Amino acid sequence: MEKLLLVTYLPFNRIHEIKKYFDLSVKAAQPDEVMIFIDNVVDGFQKELLKEKIGYKIMTGNWGSRVLTWISILEEFEKFEGRMLVVDSDNVLDTGIGEIARSWKETFLTFMDWEDYVNGSRGIMPRSKKIGELEFGTQKRPLYRFSVYNGSLFGSGATFFIGPKQSVLMTRKLDKDLLNRLKKSVEQLPKSLLKHISDETLLAVIAYLMGLKEVCWTVGTKHYHSKPESMDNVQLKLMKSVNALAHERLADALYKEFRIKEFRTYRRKYMLARLKNALYSIF
């Protein structure tokens, strides 16, 4: 049976989540190897502190965004002989998840947290279709397929989106040339914009580059939510405009590199969104 690599990633100011949550995920998944990616590490003092306090293999950087952190995760995955399970640092995996992670046959399997599932997950369900059930641990879990690409220019929902992503299983690797080209595209954007691109978007782009139109998801984590920063209406309008610009710029870089028509649609959608947000800010 293939080896299992368990990964989490987080900024330096959230390293307490390793002991608070990730230790429990390690116990639940029983991986063969563990790796933690820690962002916003800029000097040797931080690295020495981490070596003293963290009992796992760590990779540090000053990536400045989840997107670039994920690129580094994928580069390390290239060196690993086996499959990889990535869990968000503020989630705890269900007991027994290692069983399905080692036996799953398709390229991706993503996991939703139980709270979101019980509450109906309005952002995920419209693009999902139930295809059966999975059984691991002591429970049967619903199994869905999710469309990673949405070609609508005017409808709601992101153009590229992987679906629920509290945890992500990958059983095979992105072709090394494609990964290098993807990294080249991503690095066309300044870090100030890249931080407005979600990892759900990057993972959907990766799935699409691997020839996948849909990926499967099930339920398998408990999410301990961090309190988001509150914004007033002016800040929200500005954030929407910047988000649209970031997606437009990423889509443009992807289209120039890969010449895939879906990336052109992606660019058009967010160009229109940026113009709409600009008009709303005026009126």
Side-chain angles (χ1 to χ4, degrees):
M1 187 172 288
E2 286 185 298
K3 287 184 177 181
L4 178 64
L5 170 65
L6 181 64
V7 173
T8 195
Y9 57 109
L10 67 168
F12 184 81
N13 68 329
R14 289 172 58 178
I15 58 173
H16 60 280
E17 293 179 350
I18 297 169
K19 294 295 183 186
K20 195 172 183 181
Y21 307 127
F22 187 61
D23 280 355
L24 298 174
S25 288
V26 174
K27 291 178 183 178
Q30 294 292 300
D32 298 286
E33 294 187 28
V34 174
M35 191 176 293
I36 301 175
F37 289 74
I38 304 175
D39 197 2
N40 307 135
V41 176
V42 297
D43 62 34
F45 179 80
Q46 287 175 293
K47 291 179 182 180
E48 288 302 316
L49 179 65
L50 291 169
K51 286 180 182 178
E52 290 176 11
K53 300 297 183 182
I54 308 301
Y56 303 110
K57 182 177 180 180
I58 59 173
M59 301 294 292
T60 61
N62 191 25
W63 301 292
S65 70
R66 291 185 171 208
V67 169
L68 286 175
T69 305
W70 255 101
I71 294 292
S72 293
I73 291 172
L74 292 169
E75 288 176 332
E76 289 300 316
F77 182 36
E78 284 286 334
K79 307 170 189 175
F80 182 74
E81 294 293 331
R83 47 185 59 197
M84 177 176 69
L85 180 64
V86 183
V87 60
D88 282 1
S89 62
D90 58 357
N91 279 249
V92 174
L93 296 168
D94 286 359
T95 299
I97 203 168
E99 175 187 339
I100 190 65
R102 287 181 168 89
S103 61
W104 183 252
K105 302 298 184 186
E106 297 187 20
T107 301
F108 279 94
L109 179 64
T110 72
F111 295 87
M112 180 181 286
D113 67 275
W114 282 102
E115 181 183 357
D116 196 15
Y117 180 70
V118 169
N119 290 335
S121 190
R122 288 180 295 176
I124 300 297
M125 287 303 185
R127 281 165 70 170
S128 300
K129 57 184 177 184
K130 190 173 182 180
I131 60 171
E133 291 184 327
L134 276 180
E135 188 170 348
F136 64 90
T138 59
Q139 289 179 302
K140 287 185 177 180
R141 294 125 194 284
L143 182 64
Y144 291 84
R145 284 197 183 277
F146 184 87
S147 299
V148 300
Y149 172 71
N150 171 15
S152 170
L153 289 177
F154 302 103
S156 62
T159 305
F160 285 97
F161 200 79
I162 197 71
K165 186 220 54 64
Q166 305 310 322
S167 183
V168 177
L169 173 68
M170 291 184 69
T171 65
R172 68 182 176 97
K173 301 168 177 66
L174 180 63
D175 176 82
K176 194 169 184 178
D177 177 64
L178 287 178
L179 178 56
N180 289 337
R181 293 170 67 191
L182 176 62
K183 182 178 181 179
K184 176 184 172 184
S185 300
V186 165
E187 289 179 339
Q188 300 299 308
L189 277 72
K191 288 184 179 180
S192 58
L193 283 183
L194 270 180
K195 65 184 180 182
H196 293 274
I197 303 293
S198 70
D199 32 7
E200 287 92 342
T201 290
L202 179 73
L203 287 165
V205 168
I206 289 167
Y208 213 78
L209 290 174
M210 296 174 84
L212 304 173
K213 303 294 177 64
E214 297 178 324
V215 299
C216 287
W217 67 267
T218 187
V219 191
T221 81
K222 180 173 176 58
H223 188 186
Y224 294 87
H225 297 268
S226 303
K227 187 176 180 181
E229 294 181 12
S230 60
M231 294 186 183
D232 59 30
N233 287 336
V234 174
Q235 290 172 313
L236 282 172
K237 287 180 180 179
L238 178 60
M239 182 65 69
K240 286 181 179 180
S241 296
V242 175
N243 286 347
L245 176 61
H247 280 282
E248 183 186 352
R249 289 280 300 276
L250 176 61
D252 186 60
L254 289 169
Y255 180 68
K256 286 177 179 176
E257 180 63 35
F258 294 100
R259 294 295 172 182
I260 295 174
K261 62 181 177 62
E262 287 80 3
F263 292 149
R264 185 170 56 190
T265 301
Y266 176 27
R267 182 179 62 189
R268 287 172 176 169
K269 181 182 179 75
Y270 286 94
M271 179 183 68
L272 291 169
R274 178 173 57 82
L275 293 173
K276 182 183 75 172
N277 290 328
L279 287 172
Y280 282 173
S281 66
I282 295 171
F283 298 104

